[in-house]
């Protein structure tokens, strides 16, 4: 276990946590920790990690982040307010260093939604199956480390036929009480038959110290359930963020997964979608916007296990300076998954000579009656469009920024949560707008 | 307004404009007609400053300044507008955002104050009213999925809002049905003043049933081979471009 050598403090943290929960949880934690310890951190020798080197992460002897003190929390209020949805109807749960903060949260839950603590959830008969990450689904043992170390979790159970109109928002904030702190955010959504819900997870940080968020989100969609999941990585320049979303869709389940990677020094976003019932449908979209030396990696695996499923991946990357982007999208169509309709697109803009993108579409098809399209393009800006803008009065630099904005905005404008759209647009304007060249649509 | 002297231009080493002369005064409407491939779009792109074309000889003066020295956006600032034969689609930004950015850029160049969104809207409404074109299209992404007619109407709306001194309209009539042609022509006519000049570029005579030019020029193989008044269009319509081409050859021969 050479890659684990440095992680002695996490083992100590685990030892302290090991017996504190209900029996089921203790057992699952122990099993998860064993799996992680056996294998350790992934390295670039592992195929799914070829382009993402975690060495800088694994060299740190991480320790679980402390509980924040009240004085710190008071200071964080402005940060939270900046990111939180202002919409009064939204439910906002704010976790600071892994601990739910009642006074920063707005916990009024809509009818039909139950919020359980990890301990409460552990007592449910469905817990073990829902909480355990399937062996064959993972591309690393990082999700197991989350299972072992997560002290708390957001467990949302949406009752059958419930149709939520407002988003459930979860903010995961890391703050700098101590250096080398790690947090293990865990979210589990159980959408019962024909339930409809939107969950927005925002990952942010405060302070200038490095931190690590190793998060897991599990989305279980029963028959006919619709879940929209937003992931917004808006962490600080010092952040490491490794995340994995696991979605299981039963018959006619519909998942929309929107992924915005804008922040962090290194972000790895694994998305595993299993279409386990006929007629299930998944839309997985993403925007990754890298500058400076950011490393942003999206890894998507969609498994069509049943017939008449459809999945669509649409990812866009914009990479400037020495940023490095990765997109790996795998579509697996099982022998039984006839009539699968699947498409994947990854378009990237490289804005500097030193920016880099590695894009890897991969199709594995074992059924014969399927439609699978994939395409990836990487390029510079369209010269005709640049000239068109300049001929309307925009200087070259302004025209260039305008087109970059447009490229990113094409994904953002489709997002259903207006406040999130506004927030992301503001980020785009800040990065690519100059002298009021671009203003956000009123 | 515009003075083109002995203009030669090449693209990828191929000569396209071969000694073109043209002089347009304030308030004048000129029309260049010519067969496909004669260099009409090349001329319009060269005027707007497309860098794919190389100017090998000649000069262009626009409102007393050397046009060829200027960057494309400076030409727009100086008051040159080109309606593209093939307007470019820009998904992801609305026509409103696009035009606000363009108008503020042009205003900045002209030393005028920037307008905020509300002031902009007021300008847009006034300008749209003058040319009788609906603003609704500005809510959509720029030209994305527009029909041919919608694209050309949108070009006219942009022209109205940017208020150029000289508008070069490259085949603003091509691909339009008669209703759309009428809307586009009415917009041009509404914009005519004693100061503003137009250079219409067209393949067909029918545009001139709606916009009456002061001068007509026939462009063949990169040169203006014949100029005249509006009656020249009818002659062309009757006899076809072959007639001018024949005519030119016999003159040259
Ligand atoms: N980018 C280019 N590369 C090579 N040839 C070009 C290019 N643009 C135009 N041409 C050639 O120049 C000639 C004139 O084209 P154009 O100006 O578009 O004519 P028109 O608008 O009168 O139909 C044509 O023969 C065309 O093929
Ligand atoms: Mg042409």
């Amino acid at each position: 276990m050479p890659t684990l050598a440095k992680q002695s403090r996490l083992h100590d943290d685990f030892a302290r946590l090991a017996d504190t929960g209900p029996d089921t949880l203790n057992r699952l934690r122990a099993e998860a920790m064993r799996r992680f310890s056996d294998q350790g951190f992934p390295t670039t020798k592992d195929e799914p990690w070829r382009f993402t080197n975690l060495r800088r992460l694994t060299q740190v002897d991480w320790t679980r982040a402390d509980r924040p003190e009240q004085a710190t929390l008071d200071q964080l209020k402005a940060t939270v307010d900046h990111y939180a949805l202002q919409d009064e109807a939204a439910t906002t749960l704010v976790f600071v260093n892994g601990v739910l903060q009642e006074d920063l949260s707005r916990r009024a839950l809509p009818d039909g939604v139950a919020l359980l603590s990890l301990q409460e959830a552990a007592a449910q008969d469905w817990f073990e199956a829902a909480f355990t990450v399937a062996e064959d689904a993972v591309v690393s043992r990082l999700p197991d480390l989350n299972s072992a170390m997560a002290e708390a979790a957001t467990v949302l159970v949406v009752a059958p036929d419930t149709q939520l109109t407002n988003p459930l928002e979860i903010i995961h904030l890391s703050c700098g009480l101590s250096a080398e702190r790690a947090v293990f955010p865990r979210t589990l959504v159980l959408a019962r038959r024909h339930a409809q819900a939107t969950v927005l997870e925002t990952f942010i940080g405060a302070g200038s110290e490095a931190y690590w968020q190793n998060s897991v989100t599990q989305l279980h969609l029963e028959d006919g359930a619709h879940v929209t999941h937003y992931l917004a990585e808006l962490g600080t320049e010092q952040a490491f963020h490794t995340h994995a979303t696991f979605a299981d869709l039963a018959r006619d389940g519909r998942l929309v997964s929107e992924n915005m990677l804008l922040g962090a020094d290194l972000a790895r976003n694994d998305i595993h979608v299993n279409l386990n019932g006929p007629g299930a449908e998944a839309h997985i979209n993403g925007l990754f916007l890298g500058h400076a030396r950011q490393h942003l990696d999206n890894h998507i695996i969609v498994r069509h296990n049943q017939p008449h499923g459809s999945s669509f991946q649409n990812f866009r990357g914009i990479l400037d300076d020495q940023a490095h982007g990765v997109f790996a999208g795998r579509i697996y169509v099982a022998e039984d998954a006839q009539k699968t309709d699947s498409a994947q697109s990854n378009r990237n803009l490289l804005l500097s000579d030193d920016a880099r993108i590695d894009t890897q579409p991969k199709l594995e098809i074992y059924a014969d009656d399927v439609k699978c399209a994939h395409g990836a393009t990487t390029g510079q800006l369209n010269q005709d469009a640049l000239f068109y803008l300049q001929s309307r009065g925009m200087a070259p630099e302004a025209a260039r920024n305008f087109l970059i904005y447009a490229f990113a905005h094409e994904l953002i404008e489709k997002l259903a949560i207006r406040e999130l759209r506004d927030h992301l647009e503001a980020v785009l304007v800040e990065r690519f707008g100059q002298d009021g060249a671009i203003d956000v649509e009123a | 307004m515009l003075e083109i002297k002995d203009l030669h231009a090449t693209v990828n080493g191929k000569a396209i404009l071969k000694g073109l002369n043209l002089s347009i005064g304030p308030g004048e409407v000129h029309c260049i007609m010519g067969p496909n491939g004669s260099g009409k779009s090349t001329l319009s792109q060269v005027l707007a400053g497309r860098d794919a074309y190389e100017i090998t000889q000649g000069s262009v003066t626009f409102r007393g300044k050397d046009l060829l020295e200027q960057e494309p956006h400076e030409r727009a600032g100086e008051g040159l507008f080109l309606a593209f034969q093939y307007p470019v689609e820009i998904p992801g930004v609305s026509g409103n955002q696009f035009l606000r950015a363009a108008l503020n850029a042009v205003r900045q160049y002209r030393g005028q104050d920037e307008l905020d969104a509300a002031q902009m809207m007021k300008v847009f409404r006034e300008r749209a009213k003058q040319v009788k074109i609906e603003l609704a299209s500005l809510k959509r992404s720029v030209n994305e999925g527009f029909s041919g007619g919608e694209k050309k109407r949108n070009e006219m709306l942009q022209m109205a809002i940017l208020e150029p001194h000289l508008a070069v309209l490259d085949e603003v009539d091509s691909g339009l049905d008669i209703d759309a042609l009428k809307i586009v022509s009415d917009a041009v006519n509404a914009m005519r003043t004693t100061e503003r000049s137009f250079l219409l570029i067209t393949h067909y005579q029918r545009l001139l049933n709606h916009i009456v030019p002061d001068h007509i020029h026939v462009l063949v193989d990169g040169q203006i081979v014949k100029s005249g008044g509006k009656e020249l269009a009818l002659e062309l319509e009757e006899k076809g471009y072959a007639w001018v081409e024949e005519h030119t050859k016999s003159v040259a021969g």
Side-chain angles (χ1 to χ4, degrees), chain B residues 36-37 39-42 85-86 170-171 201:
Chain B
N36 281 332
K40 301 186 299 297
S41 290
T42 301
Q85 181 174 1
Y86 304 106
D170 188 4
E171 303 227 15
I201 293 178

Side-chain angles (χ1 to χ4, degrees), chain B residues 11-12 14 16 35-43 53 85 171:
Chain B
V11 60
N12 299 329
K14 179 180 163 197
I16 313 230
N36 281 332
S38 56
K40 301 186 299 297
S41 290
T42 301
L43 173 63
Y53 299 90
Q85 181 174 1
E171 303 227 15

